């Protein structure tokens, strides 16, 4: 038998990436339809936009948020806020399917009791990438990050506690969920430039949900 490392059917369902960090392959598939419906509702109320970094660069990933708090970036810095700066209105409510998925995946990864109050929704089109960064704008780093991949595959970079440390390249497919917390909570991570392709449900894009306890 030949083992194709990139055939998801041959890979284990649960892969430890580091202490406190785990990939739950295909974990989101059972809620795929509800998640896609939720994304549509969120984007209808708070459309995709390209944020600007504090240094003035336009991000290649388009973003929006749902839940009580949303992550934003502009010339004055990165922060969470309760209202969408584009509309002045509160962010759309977090769809029940997002909440249920985040709770379940966090518990499965060893973080029971996770109650996210923020969901950053990222959209990658071919060529879009996210450079190495830490998620550190949340108030209490005892809560994990739950990250859900939908649509086109991507390569997730998972690094160490310092920017210069080696990074693992983790191929992520539609439905995969990565949870990182505890000793891995502040690890650097990013996403390589998305390759061209077409996903049967999402077309030429990847949508990622990152659920956090921000406040
Ligand atoms: C993020 O770090 O906010 C997103 C990670 C991803 O798109 O997989
Ligand atoms: Fe991140």
């Amino acid at each position: 038998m030949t083992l194709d490392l990139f055939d998801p059917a041959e890979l284990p369902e649960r892969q430890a990436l580091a202490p406190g960090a785990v990939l739950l392959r295909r974990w989101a598939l059972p809620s795929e339809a509800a998640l896609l419906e939720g994304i549509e509702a969120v984007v209808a109320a708070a459309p995709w936009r390209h944020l600007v970094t504090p240094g003035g660069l336009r991000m290649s990933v388009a973003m929006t948020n749902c839940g009580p708090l949303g992550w934003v970036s502009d010339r004055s810095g990165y922060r969470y806020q309760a209202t969408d700066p584009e509309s002045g209105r509160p962010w759309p409510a977090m769809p029940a399917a997002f909440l249920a998925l985040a709770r379940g995946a966090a518990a499965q990864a060893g973080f029971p009791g996770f109650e996210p109050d923020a969901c950053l929704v990222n959209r990658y089109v071919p060529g879009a990438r996210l450079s190495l960064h830490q998620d550190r704008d949340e108030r209490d780093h005892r809560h994990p990050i739950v990250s859900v991949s939908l649509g086109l595959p991507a390569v997730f970079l998972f690094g160490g506690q310092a920017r210069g440390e080696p990074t693992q390249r983790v191929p992520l497919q539609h439905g995969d969920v990565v949870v990182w917390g505890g000793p891995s909570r502040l690890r650097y991570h990013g996403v390589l430039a998305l390759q061209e392709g077409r996903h049967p449900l999402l077309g030429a894009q990847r949508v990622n949900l990152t659920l956090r306890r921000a406040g």
Side-chain angles (χ1 to χ4, degrees), residues 22 24 27 100-111 114 146 148 177-179:
V22 58
L24 304 172
W27 181 268
L101 181 88
R103 287 175 177 147
Q108 176 71 12
F111 302 99
F114 180 54
V146 174
V148 183
V177 177
V178 183
V179 181

Side-chain angles (χ1 to χ4, degrees), residues 22-24 27-28 101-102 105 114 120 122 124 135 144-150 156 172 175-180 189 191 206-212:
V22 58
L23 164 55
L24 304 172
W27 181 268
L101 181 88
F114 180 54
L120 174 65
N122 292 319
Y124 299 74
D135 289 359
I145 303 286
V146 174
S147 170
V148 183
S149 291
L150 297 165
F156 183 60
L172 295 181
D176 288 352
V177 177
V178 183
V179 181
W180 64 95
H189 57 279
V191 178
R206 169 178 185 258
V207 175
N208 169 264
L209 311 174
T210 46
L211 294 119
R212 302 104 184 265

Side-chain angles (χ1 to χ4, degrees), residues 67-71 79-82 114-119 137-143 185 211-215:
L69 291 170
W71 185 85
R79 65 190 172 278
Y80 282 95
Q81 62 177 56
F114 180 54
E115 286 297 328
D117 60 5
C119 178
D137 302 321
E138 302 73 29
R139 196 172 50 81
D140 183 345
H141 295 152
R142 282 175 302 182
H143 304 293
R185 177 61 179 75
L211 294 119
R212 302 104 184 265
R213 177 90 202 169

